[in-house]
Amino acid sequence: MADQPKKSNDADAIKTWRKRITAAKATKEAWEKENRVSTCYDYWRGLQLSQPLDEFGNRKAQVNKIHPEVRNALPSLYFYHPFARVTAQPELADTPGSAIDEAMQLLQDTANHIIRVPSTCFRESTLLALKESFWAIGVAETGYSADFVDDPQAVRPPLKEDKDTDLANPSKAETPPEMLMDGDVEAALAKEKESIKSERFFVRFIPAKQVLISVSDKPVINDNDWVGYWEDMSLEDVKASEAYSSTENLKASGSDPDDDDQSKRMRETDESAGTVERVRIFKIWDLRTKERFVIAHNHDKFLMRKKYKRLPLHFLRFDIDPYHFFPRPPIIAKLGTQDEYNQSREYLRQIRNGTVPRYTYDEDGIDAEQMRKLERNDIGTYVPRKSGTSNVIEPVQQPSYSENAIQTLTLSDKEFKDVGGVGGDARVADTKTATQAKIAEVKDQVQDTFDRQIVADWLSSIIKELLFTAIDRMALEQWVAINVAPDSMYAPMEAQAVAKEYQLITAQKLTQASQLVEWDLTVDVESLSPVSEEEKFQKWMQGLSFIGNPGMAIVFAFAPDLLKYTLKLMGLSSAREQEMIVGAMTQMAAAQQAAQGQVAPGGGSPPRPPGISPMGGGAAPGAPSPAGPVPGGPQPGGPMGPGASMPA
């Protein structure tokens, strides 16, 4: 009887959440209808004509320009594996002789290692979300689990095909620490270390059709009341997991009137074949109370209810609506011009098919039987005509619409490029002067770089959450254990081989490194695409040719602040990179002064800039210090000397 009030409260709370979910579905449906999400997806697939066949059964003309533009835009946004860079707060990031660099390097290596492990599915999931963001919204979920319910890579029990199916008592995974209360986390971690053979950090692609947002519908995620998504799972998968509770009376879900066509087909196939029983699960994160809820369709108990630290959902939105959460899909701007192009192309097809040679003949000048000979392609065909007649066969004068059709096609193609939104590199500026063309080119580059930065920020949020998860949840004592089972007889030998290239990473080391200083994680835009990499290289080469000028070296030696400002305009905003170049410029200026001193007439040497000694070894007494060697930077004869490479 003591449990009865709790059951009643759960039922009431779940009833309230069902009302909220219904309202959230209405909000999403309004967005999908207003922004023609399904239409955008169909146009990307090539389903652009309401009636693909004409009255004669011939296929109408259609040229899908949206799909190749999306495909061409992806490599310029996300080509390489992203490189995650962990940095400390600026006032401590470049302090020589401190442990900051070592700690940041540890976190950075850990983050880049996680996203490159195949079982993480980082690249596959993020690429799918990036592609869907062109016609809807891109969503990815991060997490850590060995449980098959949350981890798509884990081993799952066999499906229950019918009541006679033998499940062979599938084993249940240990309950992850995040499923417990805060006071039991340390005990759960200790228990995991004794039994766990492997651990996974994963990234999941969440289809946009499954995403739900509260009716608050605000553009900033944390300003909303709650966010979540639904998914259809095997009933036996849910019951076999110890991550979920109160599954005794859980039953398969029936048909949902809000299902899309794909979900209906899958459910009908399962029901007709009698192979899989599925249940719809709703995963909800309450942004107000920091609680996570998991409820099932037509079930009056919570499958999960616990606190959470950070939201594991990451949303990619290129064009954010200032008044709503869901964005404006980039493809929607292309729909009208795509229709115009198809209509123009169909018009040209009709003109081509309708404009065929036609003739009239004088029936008094030639017999119809003789005319039929001219319809054949026989060489040397002769037909008689009556005497006294001329021009018995005359062509029919037909109006020509081909020029008009081509003009219409050209105009629609230009409008398709002008609307932008997808494939900025394909836009051609119609300008009159070279200056205007350069300005238009810069604008296009800025737009493309802006989109790349949005993708980089989205990826950095995912990687940062994975790193936080590793700090909070990592149970194994070394990274080699992720790929080597601890109970394997070859584990020690493989661990020794890996240790030569990778340092051992433990949860304690990660915690100490993260607590040493305030840090942040970013993704280098240049690491995403050859396009941005080439742009960065061109800027770098232009900068080197500028600062490598001997005259400018003297000027910058007098004014290091001016050099730093110049480097910042070139895109080199890192303090370490600036100090490295300042040190190289100091040595260059000192070498020039030394060379001039050796060839000066009378054995003397020309005046030197204040603070530069003849051999660049230090500053004269009372001279300003900016031109001197930078502490911790390149020294004469050191790393920047002949034959040495520039430090990373």
Side-chain angles (χ1 to χ4, degrees):
M1 298 298 294
D3 295 335
Q4 186 63 30
K6 182 178 180 181
K7 294 181 180 179
S8 178
N9 291 337
D10 285 352
D12 293 341
I14 290 176
K15 185 177 180 181
T16 301
W17 276 111
R18 287 202 178 111
K19 293 180 179 179
R20 295 172 179 173
I21 291 173
T22 302
K25 288 181 179 179
T27 300
K28 187 183 67 173
E29 290 173 359
W31 165 72
E32 291 175 342
K33 182 179 180 180
E34 180 179 356
N35 291 274
R36 304 173 65 187
V37 174
S38 60
T39 303
C40 291
Y41 176 59
D42 289 340
Y43 272 52
W44 174 80
R45 295 172 58 197
L47 306 177
Q48 301 174 354
L49 303 179
S50 58
Q51 296 180 350
L53 303 179
D54 60 13
E55 57 182 346
F56 303 105
N58 299 320
R59 184 171 294 277
K60 294 181 180 179
Q62 174 190 291
V63 180
N64 188 351
K65 298 176 69 65
I66 291 180
H67 184 276
E69 284 227 343
V70 172
R71 191 175 187 277
N72 294 336
L74 290 176
S76 64
L77 297 173
Y78 191 179
F79 187 86
Y80 299 123
H81 271 288
F83 179 77
R85 188 179 300 277
V86 178
T87 56
Q89 51 187 345
E91 58 269 19
L92 296 177
D94 300 290
T95 304
S98 65
I100 303 298
D101 291 339
E102 182 179 352
M104 297 303 101
Q105 189 67 38
L106 175 64
L107 296 175
Q108 181 171 293
D109 292 343
T110 304
N112 286 289
H113 179 81
I114 291 176
I115 64 177
R116 283 164 175 78
V117 174
S119 61
T120 305
C121 290
F122 175 84
R123 182 169 175 82
E124 296 88 338
S125 300
T126 51
L127 270 176
L128 289 174
L130 172 60
K131 183 177 294 185
E132 192 177 26
S133 66
F134 284 101
W135 62 79
I137 182 174
V139 186
E141 180 187 13
T142 56
Y144 165 96
S145 178
D147 191 355
F148 61 84
V149 172
D150 288 331
D151 187 355
Q153 298 297 319
V155 178
R156 298 179 294 175
L159 293 175
K160 183 178 180 180
E161 297 183 356
D162 51 48
K163 63 180 180 180
D164 298 326
T165 301
D166 184 12
L167 295 180
N169 297 323
S171 59
K172 295 187 177 182
E174 294 292 334
T175 303
E178 69 177 14
M179 308 301 176
L180 307 176
M181 299 301 293
D182 294 339
D184 298 331
V185 171
E186 295 182 0
L189 284 174
K191 185 177 180 181
E192 277 187 348
K193 292 180 180 180
E194 297 176 357
S195 59
I196 191 171
K197 293 184 178 180
S198 63
E199 56 185 352
R200 295 183 180 90
F201 302 89
F202 63 87
V203 179
R204 297 184 62 188
F205 162 64
I206 306 299
K209 66 179 182 180
Q210 300 173 201
V211 178
L212 300 172
I213 192 71
S214 61
V215 293
S216 53
D217 191 24
K218 296 181 180 179
V220 180
I221 298 173
N222 290 328
D223 290 344
N224 291 283
D225 298 328
W226 60 272
V227 67
Y229 68 93
W230 60 264
E231 63 176 330
D232 291 330
M233 303 181 61
S234 167
L235 179 62
E236 295 303 320
D237 285 354
V238 179
K239 288 187 174 182
S241 173
E242 290 187 357
Y244 296 149
S245 60
S246 303
T247 60
E248 297 82 6
N249 299 323
L250 184 63
K251 298 180 180 179
S253 302
S255 59
D256 192 330
D258 297 329
D259 283 349
D260 57 0
D261 294 338
Q262 182 179 359
S263 299
K264 290 180 180 178
R265 286 195 302 268
M266 183 177 66
R267 193 177 298 277
E268 291 173 357
T269 302
D270 292 340
E271 292 176 354
S272 61
T275 56
V276 182
E277 292 182 308
R278 298 187 182 274
V279 58
R280 176 154 297 184
I281 300 296
F282 294 90
K283 299 181 179 180
I284 301 169
W285 285 263
D286 193 328
L287 301 174
R288 301 172 65 90
T289 62
K290 293 294 181 181
E291 282 187 291
R292 180 186 177 186
F293 302 92
V294 178
I295 61 178
H297 185 71
N298 295 331
H299 191 63
D300 60 353
K301 297 180 181 179
F302 285 108
L303 301 183
M304 179 189 297
R305 183 173 184 175
K306 66 182 185 64
K307 291 286 186 179
Y308 72 92
K309 291 183 179 180
R310 297 170 302 274
L311 181 67
L313 299 180
H314 308 270
F315 304 94
L316 177 59
R317 300 176 293 174
F318 283 107
D319 194 357
I320 300 178
D321 191 323
Y323 308 108
H324 302 283
F325 170 77
F326 288 105
R328 185 175 185 269
I331 285 181
I332 193 175
K334 299 279 191 176
L335 298 184
T337 54
Q338 174 69 78
D339 290 338
E340 289 289 336
Y341 190 88
N342 286 335
Q343 292 173 7
S344 301
R345 188 64 182 82
E346 172 62 16
Y347 178 51
L348 184 61
R349 185 187 73 89
Q350 293 178 357
I351 293 298
R352 184 184 67 247
N353 293 337
T355 307
V356 294
R358 292 180 173 87
Y359 304 91
T360 60
Y361 73 97
D362 186 356
E363 59 182 358
D364 294 331
I366 189 172
D367 295 335
E369 185 67 23
Q370 299 296 330
M371 281 293 301
R372 294 191 182 95
K373 296 181 180 180
L374 297 179
E375 297 177 0
R376 300 195 298 265
N377 294 328
D378 299 337
I379 300 176
T381 301
Y382 301 93
V383 295
R385 63 181 177 85
K386 297 180 180 180
S387 61
T389 61
S390 62
N391 297 329
V392 293
I393 300 177
E394 295 182 357
V396 176
Q397 299 297 328
Q398 303 180 70
S400 176
Y401 298 101
S402 59
E403 182 178 355
N404 188 17
I406 294 176
Q407 290 178 350
T408 305
L409 189 67
T410 304
L411 179 61
S412 61
D413 183 58
K414 181 180 180 301
E415 291 176 345
F416 186 88
K417 296 177 180 179
D418 289 342
V419 294
V422 180
D425 292 333
R427 294 189 295 271
V428 179
D430 185 13
T431 55
K432 298 181 180 180
T433 65
T435 302
Q436 292 175 334
K438 182 63 178 178
I439 294 175
E441 180 182 358
V442 171
K443 288 182 178 179
D444 287 345
Q445 291 178 355
V446 169
Q447 176 63 41
D448 297 337
T449 304
F450 181 75
D451 292 341
R452 294 189 194 106
Q453 188 62 55
I454 292 177
V455 175
D457 293 340
W458 175 65
L459 293 175
S460 65
S461 68
I462 296 175
I463 303 174
K464 188 174 182 179
E465 178 59 29
L466 288 173
L467 184 55
F468 272 126
T469 304
I471 295 172
D472 295 340
R473 300 293 317 283
M474 186 176 176
L476 300 181
E477 295 185 351
Q478 52 188 11
W479 275 112
V480 66
I482 292 180
N483 300 314
V484 181
D487 56 355
S488 172
M489 60 180 297
Y490 301 104
M493 291 181 290
E494 295 187 25
Q496 291 178 2
V498 176
K500 296 178 181 179
E501 299 182 4
Y502 300 96
Q503 60 176 317
L504 301 181
I505 302 176
T506 65
Q508 183 179 6
K509 286 184 178 181
L510 291 178
T511 302
Q512 292 176 351
S514 64
Q515 294 177 351
L516 185 61
V517 68
E518 184 179 353
W519 57 273
D520 192 19
L521 186 146
T522 58
V523 168
D524 290 343
V525 178
E526 295 78 17
S527 68
L528 295 179
S529 171
V531 177
S532 54
E533 190 179 43
E534 178 65 21
E535 293 175 357
K536 182 73 173 181
F537 176 74
Q538 294 298 332
K539 292 181 180 179
W540 174 257
M541 294 304 297
Q542 293 175 3
L544 288 181
S545 62
F546 176 70
I547 64 178
N549 186 291
M552 297 306 301
I554 299 297
V555 174
F556 288 139
F558 280 101
D561 292 338
L562 178 61
L563 174 59
K564 291 185 178 181
Y565 179 73
T566 304
L567 295 175
K568 185 176 294 186
L569 293 179
M570 292 166 49
L572 300 176
S573 57
S574 172
R576 181 173 287 105
E577 293 176 350
Q578 292 181 359
E579 293 295 346
M580 179 179 63
I581 296 178
V582 169
M585 295 290 294
T586 301
Q587 295 185 43
M588 182 185 299
Q592 291 178 1
Q593 293 298 320
Q596 293 177 5
Q598 292 177 1
V599 300
S605 59
R608 293 183 295 273
I612 299 181
S613 62
M615 297 304 295
S625 59
V630 178
Q635 303 297 330
M640 295 301 296
S645 60
M646 183 175 294

